Amino acid sequence: MDLSVKYETVVGENLCVLGSIPELGNWKVFKCRMVWTKGHVWKTINPIITREHGFEYKYALLEGENDEEQTLKAWEHGIDRWC
């Protein structure tokens, strides 16, 4: 499954997906990075493959120049998404 979201960022900001399954970092690890595409649409780099029948997730805004320096800047507001 591929995820995408339209969100405008500035230089140094990136999006990732966190969620309730190991493939999405179990809400703790920024494991599922996203890539910016034309029109400010962020897409998962790789499809999310899981054996779970359903899971919760949210988008998170990260800040930093490279993977080692990135920190959480903001969570998506509202209730968790469900897939």
Side-chain angles (χ1 to χ4, degrees):
M1 175 180 82
D2 294 310
L3 295 176
S4 66
V5 64
K6 183 176 175 92
Y7 188 84
E8 289 192 37
T9 58
V10 297
V11 175
E13 293 180 335
N14 295 290
L15 290 182
C16 73
V17 183
L18 273 79
S20 62
I21 57 175
E23 295 82 2
L24 298 180
N26 288 320
W27 297 113
K28 298 176 187 172
V29 180
F30 306 128
K31 195 172 187 177
C32 186
R33 304 293 177 138
M34 301 183 83
V35 63
W36 182 91
T37 63
K38 189 175 182 178
H40 299 285
V41 176
W42 288 82
K43 297 182 179 188
T44 49
I45 297 170
N46 298 310
I48 300 166
I49 300 170
T50 184
R51 291 178 172 230
E52 300 293 328
H53 294 289
F55 58 89
E56 295 174 296
Y57 70 98
K58 279 192 173 194
Y59 296 103
L61 180 64
L62 304 178
E63 183 175 51
E65 293 302 315
N66 57 50
D67 285 349
E68 292 80 33
E69 296 177 4
Q70 291 202 328
T71 58
L72 178 64
K73 185 172 181 180
W75 283 95
E76 177 180 17
H77 296 286
I79 61 172
D80 296 343
R81 293 175 185 251
W82 178 260
C83 184

